[in-house]
């Protein structure tokens, strides 16, 4: 066994790895694909362009009354961060494509900012992580976030039902699920006006 | 202000009506009508007064309208600025308006960037042993995580652990890991420093909320030592639903091996003997939410050039799987280790008979828990999970000729318990372990993470 892994070979590998740490960073890909390069993956503008290519996007500010906020919180099952909703409605040739909302929330001690696009049928059409200030070890990988697509505001949108948790990133999973519920709840309340 | 605005025309109308209707009404009541010229003057004065009042009302309304527009503008600006603050990570703040936001700016403003990240966890453990073994309550671990992001390419992260509450009574203060990461892209990143060996579940995820039971498994304590950290460097990343880590790190020190396992061989990054290095590689399928399936291999020598020892080649293999969905949380892990030159090592350590270090070590466990609260309240952050774990291990599955195995190192444990999390960051666990040969015990753990 020891002959398989001679000391010098592994020592050299360690040296090479340490040297590689200082190598220049390769150019970032041009496509706006989230990458593990730090905390900010996409700006708001980039995220909207990614979600609504070729669409007209109208920004609107909506102030929730106390009663509306209370109703949204009841629907979401958690508190809203604010009574102001920033609504980005996308249309193509006059036809509604989706409505984007942004939600910034604390994960452990730092923030995660997500964009959630609600489809005309009130399901989640897209979820993008725009910024993640916690160590990236707490950012779920793989296709974990894809679980939210197609979910609507019901009991299935929960870590105990339709969203599967992830060991080691439990707080991120909870924070993201709460954000999804908040967004769908606000969208519903605004639609009830 | 809105109320007074609405009230003014009403007052005016009432006044107007009373003025215009006042005279005919008085006449109808049979009172003596005033002389006409005097009446004309009175009416004229009243009309003039009304016109003046009307003029003032119009001026007031115009002034109020201007103030409303001004206030609306201010609220609009405040709303925009609130959005800038709320989403400071992702909103450019300089440039022309686009979607109401800055278009031309390429700089992303963030109050959090760069910055320090702080976290931590801890656990207190009470163990009540059957028989004559003394019971113990111990504040086993208090841990602080400190990370620092230098820029988008370089990140530092560390874990500083205080074990057993006091160094006066055998406790210790240790750096569990301290790594510099060079972030490149999803597929490949580099890491160097005091690394956590990525084998198994517990080495990288040892916070109390990251596992079901009150105590760690024996397999992930003696065969895959935990928390196992050594100095080295490596790469990690994720592509196509597969995550991986590949590190070169200093090897174990065989002089720390015992009949109970490899745990004592950890050098913990402290003045580590570095004649021998090891390679550890881990891969996991993470492409299916809720499911992790993977394995890892560790290969390296542990002799470290010490007198009387051979190379003491050490290989450890493990496979693992975890499934989480709804209220279910299940895990399985199997590990085995193979050591060379054990007879030489036994001689150097002075081991005889059943004291031999194992040439082969093996262990496995399966555990499953179910969150009962998920049946009643999908939104609840609390969980109450009864669990069961079955484990088998043998740290002397094979020993060199001339040595024997201690039956106590070949055991099976059935653990039954309950894990209650009032919130997801706090865990209270109570379980009972039924050992086939070893000492049965009750364990109660209080843990937290932030």
């Amino acid at each position: 066994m020891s002959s398989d892994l001679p000391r010098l070979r592994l020592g050299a590998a360690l040296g090479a790895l340490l040297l590689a740490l200082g190598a220049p960073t390769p150019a970032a890909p041009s496509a706006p694909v989230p990458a593990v390069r730090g905390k900010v993956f996409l700006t708001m503008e980039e995220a909207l362009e990614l979600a609504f290519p070729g669409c007209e996007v109208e920004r609107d500010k909506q102030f929730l009354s106390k009663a509306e906020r209370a109703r949204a919180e009841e629907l979401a099952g958690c508190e809203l961060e604010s009574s102001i909703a920033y609504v980005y409605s996308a249309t193509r040739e006059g036809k509604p494509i989706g409505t984007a909302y942004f939600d910034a929330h604390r994960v452990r001690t730092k923030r995660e900012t997500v964009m959630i696009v609600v489809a005309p049928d009130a399901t989640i059409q897209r979820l993008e992580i725009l910024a993640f200030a916690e160590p990236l070890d707490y950012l779920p990988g793989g296709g974990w976030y894809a679980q939210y697509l197609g979910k609507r505001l019901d009991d299935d949108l929960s870590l105990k039902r339709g969203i599967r948790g992830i060991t080691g990133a439990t707080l991120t999973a909870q924070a993201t699920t709460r954000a999804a519920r908040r967004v769908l709840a606000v969208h519903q309340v605004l639609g009830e006006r | 202000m809105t109320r007074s605005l609405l009230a003014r025309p009403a007052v005016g109308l009432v006044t107007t009506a009373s003025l215009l209707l006042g005279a005919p009404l008085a006449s109808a009541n049979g009172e003596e009508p005033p002389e006409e010229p005097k009446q004309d003057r009175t009416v004229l004065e009243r009309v003039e007064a009304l016109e003046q009042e009307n003029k003032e009302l119009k001026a007031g309304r115009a002034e109020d309208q201007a103030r409303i527009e001004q206030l609306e503008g201010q609220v609009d600006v405040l709303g925009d600025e609130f959005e800038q603050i709320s989403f400071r990570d992702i909103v450019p703040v300089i440039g022309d308006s686009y979607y109401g936001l800055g278009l031309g700016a390429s700089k992303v403003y963030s109050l959090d960037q760069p910055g320090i990240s702080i976290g931590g966890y801890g656990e207190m453990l009470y163990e009540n042993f059957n028989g004559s073994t003394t019971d113990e309550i111990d504040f086993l671990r208090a841990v602080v995580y400190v990370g620092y992001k230098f820029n988008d390419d370089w990140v530092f992260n560390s874990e500083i652990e205080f074990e057993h509450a006091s160094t006066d009574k055998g406790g210790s203060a240790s750096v569990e890991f301290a790594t510099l990461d060079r972030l490149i892209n999803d597929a490949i990143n580099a890491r160097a420093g005091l690394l956590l060996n990525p084998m198994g579940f517990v080495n990288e995820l040892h916070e109390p909320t990251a596992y079901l039971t009150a105590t760690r498994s024996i397999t992930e304590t003696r065969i895959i030592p935990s928390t196992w950290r050594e100095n080295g460097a490596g790469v990690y990343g994720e592509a196509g639903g597969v995550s991986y880590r590949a590190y070169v790190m200093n090897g174990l020190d065989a002089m720390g091996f015992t009949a109970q396992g490899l745990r004592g061989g950890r050098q913990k990054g402290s003045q580590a003997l570095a004649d021998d290095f090891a390679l550890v590689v881990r891969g996991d399928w993470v492409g299916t939410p809720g499911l992790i399936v993977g394995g890892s291999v560790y290969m390296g020598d542990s002799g470290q050039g010490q007198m009387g020892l051979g190379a003491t080649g050490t290989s450890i293999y493990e496979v693992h799987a975890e499934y989480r969905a709804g209220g279910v949380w299940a895990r399985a892990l199997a590990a085995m280790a193979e050591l060379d030159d054990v007879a030489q090592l036994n001689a150097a350590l002075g081991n005889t008979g059943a004291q031999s270090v194992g040439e082969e070590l093996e262990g496995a466990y399966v555990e499953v828990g179910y969150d009962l609260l998920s049946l009643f309240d999908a939104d609840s952050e609390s969980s109450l999970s009864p669990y069961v774990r079955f484990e088998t291990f043998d740290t002397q599955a094979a020993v060199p000729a001339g040595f024997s195995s201690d039956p106590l190192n070949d055991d099976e444990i059935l653990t039954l318990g309950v894990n209650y999390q009032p919130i997801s960051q706090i865990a209270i666990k109570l379980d009972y372990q039924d050992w086939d040969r070893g000492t049965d015990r009750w364990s109660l753990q209080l843990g937290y993470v932030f």
Side-chain angles (χ1 to χ4, degrees):
Chain A
M1 185 185 312
S2 57
S3 61
D4 295 335
L5 293 169
R7 296 171 187 171
L8 280 177
R9 194 181 301 170
L10 283 176
L14 177 61
L17 283 168
L18 288 171
L19 287 173
L21 278 174
T25 305
S30 55
V33 175
V36 185
R37 271 187 49 78
K39 293 184 213 173
V40 179
F41 305 127
L42 290 169
T43 64
M44 186 179 277
E45 173 195 328
E46 288 169 339
L48 288 167
E49 286 175 352
L50 189 67
F52 305 126
C55 294
E56 288 184 19
V57 180
E58 186 180 336
R59 175 178 177 270
D60 193 15
K61 238 185 342 266
Q62 295 289 340
F63 294 82
L64 300 179
S65 67
K66 282 186 178 176
E68 287 176 324
R69 179 171 182 160
R71 167 141 174 82
E73 290 179 340
E74 184 187 349
L75 287 168
C78 57
E79 291 185 0
L80 299 190
E81 301 278 334
S82 160
S83 292
I84 310 176
Y86 300 93
V87 185
Y88 293 80
S89 306
T91 55
R92 185 181 289 124
E93 296 171 356
K95 186 182 173 189
I97 300 299
T99 309
Y101 298 84
F102 295 87
D103 191 286
H105 46 261
R106 186 172 64 87
V107 174
R108 197 175 59 172
T109 56
K110 296 284 187 173
R111 289 150 50 88
E112 176 188 54
T113 306
V114 300
M115 178 186 75
I116 294 170
V117 178
V118 184
D121 67 353
T123 60
I124 295 177
Q125 189 178 75
R126 186 176 196 116
L127 190 152
E128 293 286 340
I129 306 303
L130 275 59
F132 194 81
E134 291 283 2
L136 296 179
D137 307 82
Y138 301 112
L139 183 64
W144 189 83
Y145 285 101
Q147 293 182 92
Y148 291 90
L149 306 186
K151 290 280 189 294
R152 59 179 68 248
L153 186 59
D154 57 22
D155 281 353
D156 202 40
L157 184 55
S158 156
L159 282 171
K160 299 195 175 196
R161 299 283 164 82
I163 303 295
R164 294 178 180 180
I166 182 165
T167 305
T170 307
L171 297 182
T172 309
Q174 286 176 340
T176 307
T177 304
R178 281 196 290 264
R181 294 191 65 87
R182 270 195 300 269
V183 163
L184 290 174
V186 167
H187 184 77
Q188 181 173 325
V189 166
L190 293 177
E192 289 170 356
R193 283 180 170 179
Chain B
M1 181 188 303
T2 307
R3 183 174 298 167
S4 65
L5 188 70
L6 292 172
R8 285 179 194 180
V11 170
L13 285 171
V14 170
T15 310
T16 305
S18 63
L19 284 170
L20 292 175
L21 297 174
L25 281 173
S27 179
N29 290 338
E31 294 175 6
E32 191 67 25
E35 292 179 10
E36 195 172 330
K38 190 179 177 184
Q39 188 182 44
D40 288 347
R41 277 201 305 277
T42 304
V43 170
L44 192 62
E45 285 169 2
R46 288 177 177 175
V47 168
E48 283 175 354
L50 277 173
E51 284 178 345
Q52 180 61 30
E53 189 177 342
N54 192 36
K55 199 180 289 180
E56 286 173 8
L57 275 173
K58 283 182 177 175
R61 287 175 64 182
E63 189 182 324
D64 287 340
Q65 188 60 36
R67 291 187 64 189
I68 287 170
E69 285 173 6
Q70 185 185 16
L71 286 171
E72 283 178 344
Q74 288 172 349
V75 168
D76 202 46
V77 168
L78 284 173
D80 289 346
E81 294 202 354
F82 184 75
E83 186 177 33
Q84 296 269 357
I85 294 168
S86 298
F87 304 114
R88 57 187 179 271
D89 308 288
I90 57 168
V91 178
V93 293
I94 305 167
D96 298 331
S97 178
Y98 183 70
Y99 299 139
L101 306 170
L103 171 67
S106 59
K107 182 183 175 187
V108 174
Y109 172 74
S110 168
L111 294 177
D112 294 327
Q113 188 181 30
I116 294 173
S117 170
I118 295 177
Y121 77 91
E123 58 181 295
M124 183 174 71
L125 181 66
Y126 170 67
E127 289 187 290
N128 183 308
F129 297 92
N130 288 0
S132 58
T133 307
T134 306
D135 302 337
E136 182 178 277
I137 184 165
D138 184 24
F139 205 98
L140 190 53
R141 296 182 177 90
V143 172
V144 178
Y145 292 116
V146 179
Y148 185 78
K149 178 181 167 63
F150 298 97
N151 55 39
D152 281 352
D153 294 333
W154 292 92
V155 176
F156 170 78
N157 207 4
S158 68
E159 176 183 337
I160 298 165
E161 177 164 313
F162 302 89
E163 286 190 341
H164 306 299
S166 172
T167 52
D168 282 350
K169 299 183 71 177
S172 63
S174 303
V175 179
E176 288 270 300
F177 71 81
T179 57
L180 272 173
D181 282 25
R182 177 68 190 271
L183 304 174
I184 302 169
N185 58 43
D186 282 348
I188 185 164
N189 301 280
R191 172 175 288 166
L194 181 56
L195 308 175
L196 288 174
N197 184 309
M199 302 193 80
F201 288 112
V202 173
N203 271 319
E204 291 184 318
L205 298 173
H206 40 263
E207 297 163 341
T209 53
Y211 56 93
L212 272 170
T213 50
T215 54
R216 302 174 181 183
S217 71
I218 298 299
T219 306
E220 289 200 78
T221 305
R222 299 186 190 175
I223 300 171
I224 302 172
S226 68
T227 305
W228 185 0
R229 67 275 190 187
E230 306 290 358
N231 295 319
V235 292
Y236 66 95
E238 183 186 318
V242 175
S243 74
Y244 72 92
R245 264 85 88 208
Y247 301 154
V248 174
M249 53 207 321
N250 64 262
L252 293 162
D253 177 4
M255 291 298 285
F257 295 165
T258 68
Q260 283 75 43
L262 308 180
R263 185 175 175 80
R266 295 173 300 163
Q267 300 203 66
K268 304 177 182 177
S270 175
Q271 302 176 69
L273 303 175
D275 267 27
D276 293 321
F277 284 87
L279 174 67
V280 59
V281 179
R282 172 185 178 127
D284 287 294
W285 169 254
V286 293
T288 306
L291 178 68
I292 296 173
V293 180
S296 60
V297 175
Y298 171 94
M299 300 180 79
D301 293 342
S302 305
Q304 300 293 0
Q306 295 174 94
M307 192 171 291
L309 294 187
T312 322
T314 304
S315 299
I316 307 174
Y317 315 93
E318 64 92 12
V319 291
H320 56 256
E322 180 184 74
Y323 181 70
R324 297 185 74 162
V328 175
W329 186 2
R331 271 183 180 178
L333 180 144
M336 68 171 296
E338 296 176 340
L339 274 62
D340 295 335
D341 308 320
V342 175
Q344 228 174 322
L345 174 62
N346 281 336
L349 290 170
N351 291 338
T352 58
Q355 295 174 323
S356 174
V357 172
E359 278 187 322
E360 291 181 13
L361 303 84
E362 54 195 32
Y365 69 85
V366 178
E367 67 183 26
V368 61
Y370 188 83
D371 175 17
L372 295 176
L373 300 186
S374 69
L375 297 171
F376 308 106
D377 185 1
D379 295 335
S380 172
E381 197 183 346
S382 305
S383 64
L384 180 67
S385 306
Y387 56 80
V388 58
R389 176 169 72 192
F390 176 75
E391 179 173 21
T392 177
F393 68 90
D394 186 353
T395 58
Q396 292 174 305
V399 294
F403 293 90
S404 58
S405 299
D406 183 341
L408 285 175
N409 293 323
D410 177 9
D411 214 335
E412 293 178 353
I413 310 167
L414 178 66
T415 305
L416 297 169
V418 62
N419 178 324
Y420 173 59
Q421 296 190 10
I423 60 173
S424 58
Q425 292 169 269
I426 293 174
I428 302 165
K429 309 171 190 176
L430 174 68
D431 64 35
Y432 183 77
Q433 290 194 332
D434 179 16
W435 291 57
D436 199 30
R437 296 193 175 93
T439 306
D440 299 346
R441 68 201 64 174
W442 285 97
S443 300
L444 175 66
Q445 184 204 58
L446 171 66
Y448 61 87
V449 58
F450 61 88

